[in-house]
Amino acid sequence: MKKRLLSLCLVGVLCFTLTGCGNTDFSTAEFNGETISLGESKEDVQDKFGEFYDKEYDDISNDKNGSVNLEISDDNKVMSISGFDDVTIGSITIGDTLEDTANALGIETKDIGNDTKKLFLFDEDDHMFRSLTTEIPDYYDRDGDGYFKDTRENFGYLNEIIECYPEINDTFKNSKYALVVDIEDGKVLSLSVIDVPSVLNGSGQGFFW
């Protein structure tokens, strides 16, 4: 009986370590006192933000809070949200510490890093089940011409990451959305969230900062 109780306690500790205190929906951003959700129509976002919405570039900006960039899918829905300024995605806000970010994701600080950019994949139940680096590997041939001359340090689009790692294609198919967190000097520099199914069906590239 004691062994069984100890086993149950151990399982409970492991689940807490991997998933945190609960599931947070990271598919919604807060900016300028309003929310923007993946899958929301472009028209609804325009109605909410009014004159702050730039219809040509799909930016929302004002002098007080900075700006947020949206990528709109072929069917006029929000498929990615990115920001450097006063934006919160899920429970993570620009400027949060490494510790705050790790706690929000239910992982350890060593699983993120002090100066890093990482992509976290979430399933339908808002479980974060996999992380990937956004750093471009040496073997990535951006133009497909055999010349490895990509000078960027990190990918800027989810479709490029999917193309680079075909061996985990099923992982992307099981993902509802991806969160990209850029940490610099131990603090959140930028945040992006991307609708993975929209990228997989070719509705857009899945832009992030």
Side-chain angles (χ1 to χ4, degrees), residues 25-38 40 45 48-49 60 68-70 78 80-83 86-94 179 191-194:
D25 182 357
F26 286 95
S27 65
T28 297
E30 293 180 24
F31 178 73
N32 198 42
E34 298 282 358
T35 60
I36 317 158
S37 299
L38 294 179
E40 189 172 359
V45 178
K48 261 193 274 194
F49 289 93
I60 304 164
V68 165
N69 181 266
L70 307 181
V78 176
S80 75
I81 308 163
S82 301
D86 188 14
V87 63
T88 297
I89 294 181
S91 55
I92 303 175
T93 300
I94 301 295
L179 174 72
L191 289 168
S192 301
V193 63
I194 307 150

Side-chain angles (χ1 to χ4, degrees), residues 184-202:
E184 190 173 287
D185 295 327
K187 290 194 175 178
V188 177
L189 177 68
S190 70
L191 289 168
S192 301
V193 63
I194 307 150
D195 185 281
V196 176
S198 292
V199 177
L200 289 174
N201 70 26

Side-chain angles (χ1 to χ4, degrees), residues 82-106:
S82 301
F84 271 107
D85 299 303
D86 188 14
V87 63
T88 297
I89 294 181
S91 55
I92 303 175
T93 300
I94 301 295
D96 276 358
T97 66
L98 175 62
E99 290 76 15
D100 292 335
T101 307
N103 288 336
L105 292 169

